[in-house]
Structures are given as C-alpha cells and as structure tokens.
Amino acid sequence: MNSDDTNYMRNVNNILRKNRRILMDLNPDGKNRVGREKLVSRGFDFKHFTSLYTTKEGSRYIYCYEQGYLQIENDYYLLVVKKEFLG
C-alpha cells in the first residue's frame, strides 16, 4: 500500500539531494554567479526545491535545503547559502 508513496518520496529526495550537491559544487565560497546552462548540463532540476524566500524588494530566492539561488539577468543565477547555516 505504501510502495507508491515510498517510491515517489525516494525519487523526490534523490532529486533534492542531487540539486543540493550541484549547488554546493558550483558555490564553494557561499556566493557565486553561474549560467543556467551549467546547472542544466549537470542535471539540475528547477522543479524541485525545499523552500522559497521573497525579500521586501520582491526578489525570490529558491532553496534546496540551505543552498539557494536567485535568477538575475538573462540566464544567470546568483548562488547563495542561508546565513544561519554558515559556521
């Protein structure tokens, strides 16, 4: 009875982990600018994320756990890390 849910959840968790790993690899210093094509070529899935944060100015950060990104000009993204998770 739970096998469908379990498989679905396993697949989503695998996608989220992969997205996080890609963001971490491309953002070793905690802030970086990267092109969409670089994310896509590594298999990043823009449909799966864990949370959204909208600033007072209306900028929308999308997070995969503590790793996040903000679409900036054209097909570029600013990669960030949630400050509360920085050691």
Side-chain angles (χ1 to χ4, degrees):
M1 188 162 91
N2 288 330
S3 65
D4 288 339
D5 286 344
T6 303
N7 280 336
Y8 175 74
M9 290 173 60
R10 186 179 308 113
N11 291 338
V12 169
N13 285 332
N14 286 337
I15 293 167
L16 291 171
R17 279 194 295 275
K18 181 177 181 180
N19 279 355
R20 179 179 179 264
R21 199 168 33 252
I22 291 167
L23 292 172
M24 287 176 65
D25 288 346
L26 295 175
N27 191 18
D29 299 321
K31 198 172 205 181
N32 194 18
R33 184 177 172 264
V34 67
R36 178 182 178 86
E37 189 55 41
K38 187 172 261 190
L39 290 165
V40 170
S41 71
R42 291 181 176 223
F44 192 83
D45 185 339
F46 287 91
K47 295 178 290 195
H48 290 86
F49 52 89
T50 56
S51 64
L52 296 170
Y53 175 74
T54 304
T55 66
K56 292 177 187 173
E57 296 80 26
S59 298
R60 189 170 83 168
Y61 288 84
I62 301 170
Y63 284 92
C64 187
Y65 302 104
E66 82 286 8
Q67 302 291 321
Y69 59 95
L70 169 70
Q71 186 171 6
I72 49 180
E73 78 268 353
N74 300 324
D75 281 342
Y76 283 91
Y77 293 86
L78 175 65
L79 304 184
V80 298
V81 179
K82 280 187 183 177
K83 288 184 172 96
E84 61 265 24
F85 290 107
L86 293 176

